[in-house]
Each structure stands twice: as structure tokens, then as C-alpha cells.
Amino acid sequence: MQTKQQVRQQGLAALQRLAQQPANKQQQEAILLQKLIDSAAFQSATVIGMTLNQPIEVATQPIIEAAQAAGKRIVVPRTLPKRQMAFYELTPTTVLERSHFGVLEPQITGEPIVPDLMIVPGVVFSLDGWRVGFGGGYYDRYLAAHQMNTVALALKPQQVKVPDWSVDQFDVKLKHIITA
């Protein structure tokens, strides 16, 4: 049994290696995008929450474009104090700024929107729905407070059959893991 920190470090290293193989990564991302678009979770969603990706993560711009082309609204997170976050609509006029995590986030405008489908980011995912995230606990807190459908898009280096880390009581199990 490993610690989440060990799993996270190994997962990030594996994602860094995959990022150095752009053709392989893009091929996996294309498979994930198609499987997502074909999923019942995506088809039934009206408002989809997701992050704007870092280079090692699954590219979210193609997902955003496909969702908007299908008439769905996209909301992206803004981190708040006390490890909280809120989601705001992403439109062509949304002003983005870099957070202290280095992630692009929307400026706060209007009321936050709770999505009906969350594409949950992470570093490692077990095929039965558990995840090791980036270590802040933001998504576990948000998902515990808001009921919605959840899906993760797992590149090959992010997939494990079952968790080889201890699942904590505050961890929120995801409903769907889509694999490349």
C-alpha cells in the first residue's frame, strides 16, 4: 500500500513522460473525447464543469468545443479561500487569469453555476472510481457538497485496476471512468 503522495509523484512522472510523446498523447485524447461524446453522461448533460488543462493533463479545449457545438454550457472553476471553489460560465468574453497554482481561472462575474456533469481532473484513477488528485482536496469538497454526475478521462498512465493507496473517508467516488 502506497501513500497518496507516492502515487501522485509516480503519476505525475508518468504524465510528464507521456507529454514528451505528443502523437501518443493526442491519439489517447482523441479516443477519450469520442468515448466522452458518445457517453450517456455527456449526452444528457446541459452544463458541464471542467478545468482548463495543464500541458500534462488531457487537453480540454477539444472537449469545450465539442460541448459548445452540442449546445451545452461549460463552467470552469475559480479557487476560493479555505480550499473551496465555484464554477463560472466560460464564454468568448470570459476574462481568464492565472491562479497561484498556475491554472487559468475565470474572473468572478455573476453568480456561480453548479454543473450537472463534472469532468473531474486527477493524477491517477482506479477503474472502480477512486482518484488521487493534485493534493488540494478542492474537488472532493465540491463534490461532497453538490450532487451531480461525475466522469474522469484517464490516459493510459493514469489507470490502475484498484486503488493501491488508502481511500480516505472524505474521498468522493466518481461514477464513470473513461479510459483510452
Side-chain angles (χ1 to χ4, degrees):
M1 185 81 51
Q2 300 184 78
T3 66
K4 284 184 181 175
Q5 184 58 31
Q6 290 169 317
V7 172
R8 185 176 298 113
Q9 288 173 338
Q10 292 167 7
L12 289 170
L15 287 171
Q16 291 282 4
R17 288 190 296 276
L18 180 61
Q20 295 166 6
Q21 305 167 27
N24 183 1
K25 184 173 182 279
Q26 289 167 357
Q27 180 183 27
Q28 290 184 49
E29 289 170 338
I31 292 166
L32 291 172
L33 174 62
Q34 192 58 55
K35 285 182 172 182
L36 174 66
I37 290 170
D38 292 343
S39 73
F42 181 89
Q43 294 290 326
S44 64
T46 57
V47 180
I48 300 174
M50 72 177 76
T51 62
L52 300 174
N53 70 286
Q54 295 288 357
I56 63 168
E57 296 177 282
V58 171
T60 53
Q61 191 59 38
I63 299 167
I64 292 166
E65 291 168 6
Q68 289 174 332
K72 299 172 188 309
R73 295 168 68 195
I74 298 295
V75 294
V76 294
R78 171 84 188 195
T79 52
L80 305 170
K82 299 182 182 170
R83 296 183 185 243
Q84 299 295 312
M85 62 183 179
F87 285 76
Y88 296 90
E89 188 160 11
L90 182 65
T91 69
T93 60
T94 301
V95 177
L96 300 171
E97 50 197 19
R98 226 164 263 290
S99 73
H100 63 280
F101 296 112
V103 178
L104 286 174
E105 295 185 343
Q107 286 185 347
I108 296 176
T109 54
E111 291 298 310
I113 300 168
V114 176
D116 52 21
L117 173 63
M118 181 72 73
I119 300 174
V120 183
V123 179
V124 177
F125 303 98
S126 69
L127 299 182
D128 60 351
W130 297 108
R131 69 186 264 280
V132 172
F134 290 90
Y138 286 87
Y139 277 85
D140 288 313
R141 284 180 185 84
Y142 190 86
L143 295 172
H146 301 89
Q147 293 300 307
M148 68 190 65
N149 204 351
T150 54
V151 65
L153 304 176
L155 297 162
K156 287 179 184 170
Q158 295 179 285
Q159 302 168 26
V160 297
K161 196 170 182 95
V162 293
D164 60 345
W165 62 87
S166 60
V167 174
D168 295 312
Q169 66 183 30
F170 55 79
D171 290 341
V172 175
K173 190 173 187 179
L174 304 180
K175 294 183 175 100
H176 310 281
I177 306 293
I178 297 175
T179 59

